[in-house]
Amino acid sequence: MPYKSFEEYNIQVTDDVKDRYKNIIEDLGEDTQRDGLLKTPERAAKAMQFLTQGYNQDPVEVLKSAMFKESYNEMVIVKDIELYSLCEHHILPFFGKAHIAYIPNGQIVGLSKLPRIVDIFARRLQVQERLTEQVLDCINDTLKPQGVAVVIEASHMCMMMRGVQKQNSITTTSGFRGQFEKIETRNEFLKLIGK
Ligand SMILES: [Zn+2]
């Protein structure tokens, strides 16, 4: 088999979380012995480990593993990066898109690494504001570009399914460092991502 993809779970964590999920499901008034729910606590325990795997990954290492000396010094943009995270206030999903730009300062980074670091920070309990800052700071401090910009647009299930029930509202957060603090550079970026 030339390629094999697999998921690994910590057995101890899976067991502990599984038992707690079983209690939660019962507290909510369900019968965990019902056919469809028999394996649900274990599946939920594994799903939660998958969705919070970012705690065990180091975004700085990921960036450093693919940095290259290069004299290119124009804006590099990766837009429409799919994003799935969990709001730390309700442990409900928020999802949307991230747009990242940077202006190199002697070094570029492998383009696939930018979505990777979005994932690493998104697969934790988050708030959209901090997620935006963490992606921004990680790129700024590691790659040390002339400037970096991050825009995140997301829909929050905790707003859509409960609370105010605003199904179509999208929350936008943004952060800018270095050259992007200049209004012309920032506007060029926003225009290129269609904002
Ligand atoms: Zn929430």
Side-chain angles (χ1 to χ4, degrees):
M1 203 183 294
Y3 175 75
K4 198 174 161 203
S5 167
F6 65 96
E7 289 170 12
E8 244 182 318
Y9 297 97
N10 181 306
I11 294 168
Q12 187 64 52
V13 174
T14 305
D15 274 353
D16 289 349
V17 177
K18 181 178 79 179
D19 288 346
R20 295 193 171 105
Y21 264 123
K22 194 162 175 281
N23 290 335
I24 291 169
I25 295 167
E26 282 166 1
D27 285 348
L28 295 174
E30 258 290 3
D31 170 15
T32 49
Q33 296 310 307
R34 184 158 80 66
D35 215 33
L37 288 181
L38 273 178
K39 293 206 78 180
T40 297
E42 183 183 338
R43 278 190 295 259
K46 287 180 173 173
M48 283 308 287
Q49 285 178 77
F50 182 88
L51 297 175
T52 57
Q53 64 182 271
Y55 290 119
N56 302 313
Q57 298 168 339
D58 183 351
V60 173
E61 283 308 309
V62 168
L63 278 189
K64 281 185 175 165
S65 72
M67 282 167 44
F68 310 98
K69 281 202 177 74
E70 197 59 63
S71 59
Y72 184 83
N73 61 5
E74 299 296 325
M75 195 182 296
V76 177
I77 300 179
V78 180
K79 66 174 188 172
D80 296 329
I81 299 167
E82 266 183 79
L83 169 147
Y84 299 94
S85 190
L86 290 171
C87 111
E88 68 183 15
H89 300 134
H90 305 94
I91 320 189
L92 286 172
F94 67 93
F95 58 94
K97 284 173 178 172
H99 314 285
I100 299 176
Y102 74 98
I103 301 171
N105 191 12
Q107 291 191 106
I108 58 166
V109 66
L111 291 177
S112 69
K113 302 303 173 194
L114 298 176
R116 280 268 289 135
I117 67 157
V118 170
D119 269 350
I120 291 173
F121 285 116
R123 287 181 176 156
R124 303 175 182 194
L125 299 184
Q126 274 290 5
V127 294
Q128 187 179 329
E129 295 86 340
R130 189 174 65 236
L131 174 60
T132 307
E133 288 289 313
Q134 285 177 331
V135 172
L136 194 66
D137 286 339
C138 179
I139 297 168
N140 200 44
D141 298 346
T142 310
L143 192 61
K144 299 184 172 40
Q146 295 181 55
V148 56
V150 176
V151 170
I152 293 178
E153 304 169 286
S155 301
H156 291 248
M157 291 309 264
C158 61
M159 277 179 78
M160 296 164 76
M161 290 181 71
R162 58 170 293 288
V164 290
Q165 295 189 10
K166 293 294 182 217
Q167 271 84 4
N168 297 314
S169 71
I170 290 178
T171 305
T172 303
T173 47
S174 59
F176 306 95
R177 298 274 191 277
Q179 293 288 327
F180 288 93
E181 287 166 44
K182 283 194 218 154
I183 199 81
E184 318 86 72
T185 314
R186 182 187 303 202
N187 284 345
E188 186 189 343
F189 163 63
L190 293 173
K191 200 174 131 204
L192 288 166
I193 64 167
K195 296 297 139 202

